[in-house]
Amino acid sequence: MYGWIWRHLPGPTPVRVLEALVLALAIIALLMFVVFPWAEPLLPFNNVTTPS
């Protein structure tokens, strides 16, 4: 999959590296600001109890 993405990025190698970095940062931002907040209420981690 990563090879497919690398082959389809336009430009010479330095430009491809920059484009791949921007693409990775955009995916991380999408996960952090959209996907994780949406999924957080659905996860069972809110019911934390500590023994007395």
Side-chain angles (χ1 to χ4, degrees):
M1 178 174 154
Y2 299 113
W4 182 87
I5 293 170
W6 185 257
R7 285 190 303 273
H8 286 83
L9 289 175
T13 301
V15 175
R16 285 183 177 189
V17 170
L18 182 62
E19 290 170 348
L21 182 63
V22 169
L23 184 62
L25 290 175
I27 291 170
I28 291 169
L30 179 69
L31 286 172
M32 294 298 289
F33 295 116
V34 177
V35 176
F36 294 155
W38 170 81
E40 193 254 338
L42 304 174
L43 299 174
F45 301 128
N46 291 337
N47 302 328
V48 178
T49 60
T50 56
S52 305

